[in-house]
Amino acid sequence: MLLKAEQDNVQRARNRFIFSLQIALSKMKSIVMMGVAGCGKSSAGLALANALGLPLIEGDAYHPQSNIDKIRQGVPLTDEDRTGWLDALGGELARHSDGAVLTCSALRRSYRDRLREASMGLRFVFLDISHEQALERVTARAGEHMFPPVLVASQFATLESPIDEAGVLHINATLPVDQITQLACAWLRSETQQEEL
């Protein structure tokens, strides 16, 4: 009998948590899972989207063929190369007015600001990883992903850390995906509570 009461309490707590996340999302709408290649954006983004009940926008799927060709050849993308891609991602964020989780490197402040213009209240989860760890991960998936190890250094050269920007959560990318998801969900809830004060 006690076990049933404990299960009911756990279920009520879970429902309250989900409800508070839904309130948070109604104000924030969308989240970008960002970082350099190899930080785990796709895995963490999918897990967060599932936890929040939001659609996932996989940023790599919106690169034009010319960008994909350059990446596969080991040629770093320029700001000009990324312009149309960022516009497409901004359009997807705007189209998902009820919110979405976007995976996007969002390496420069100007890229993040461009996405912010498309989606009011946009938040970023920055998956931080060392050059060595990113290179190890990208090398391990070579042949399965369009991004070659030779481009990892260019990602770090382009990266402008978002740590001091508002609406950004900084997470160690080497944490387990479920822990990243829990931290992101808790942060989203606290962000909403702060806005209500």
Side-chain angles (χ1 to χ4, degrees):
M1 193 68 169
L2 183 60
L3 184 58
K4 174 73 171 120
E6 288 175 355
Q7 289 175 339
D8 289 344
N9 286 339
V10 168
Q11 186 59 45
R12 277 194 290 277
R14 183 177 293 135
N15 289 343
R16 282 193 303 272
F17 179 73
I18 291 170
F19 180 70
S20 68
L21 277 176
Q22 289 170 338
I23 291 171
L25 289 171
S26 71
K27 296 180 180 185
M28 290 182 200
K29 303 295 186 198
S30 296
I31 303 103
V32 177
M33 191 68 66
M34 66 158 290
V36 298
C39 72
K41 295 182 291 292
S42 293
S43 299
L46 177 60
L48 183 60
N50 288 338
L52 299 175
L54 292 175
L56 176 70
I57 303 169
E58 179 58 62
D60 283 345
Y62 292 85
H63 273 297
Q65 189 61 47
S66 58
N67 284 5
I68 293 169
D69 292 344
K70 285 183 80 169
I71 291 167
R72 287 188 174 146
Q73 293 166 13
V75 178
L77 297 181
T78 64
D79 289 348
E80 184 178 335
D81 292 327
R82 290 184 174 103
T83 298
W85 175 60
L86 291 166
D87 287 345
L89 296 180
E92 283 300 304
L93 286 172
R95 193 171 70 79
H96 288 85
S97 58
D98 291 332
V101 175
L102 167 66
T103 62
C104 173
S105 54
L107 299 174
R108 291 193 192 278
R109 172 75 183 251
S110 61
Y111 304 168
R112 296 186 290 275
D113 287 345
R114 194 177 196 118
L115 294 173
R116 286 179 178 113
E117 289 172 8
S119 181
M120 293 293 291
L122 187 63
R123 297 294 195 268
F124 291 81
V125 176
F126 172 43
L127 298 179
D128 198 3
I129 192 168
S130 72
H131 180 276
E132 295 74 21
Q133 291 165 324
L135 183 58
E136 182 179 314
R137 288 181 174 189
V138 171
T139 300
R141 70 179 190 196
E144 299 171 13
H145 194 277
M146 69 175 173
F147 198 91
V150 70
L151 288 179
V152 171
S154 71
Q155 293 266 292
F156 282 90
T158 305
L159 178 64
E160 297 172 355
S161 176
I163 291 175
D164 294 330
E165 296 173 25
V168 175
L169 174 64
H170 175 231
I171 297 181
N172 180 339
T174 63
L175 292 174
V177 170
D178 61 340
Q179 192 173 349
I180 290 172
T181 303
Q182 291 169 6
L183 289 169
C185 287
W187 173 69
L188 290 168
R189 186 172 57 173
S190 71
E191 284 278 289
T192 300
Q193 289 171 346
Q194 288 176 11
E195 289 179 357
E196 290 174 349
L197 296 178

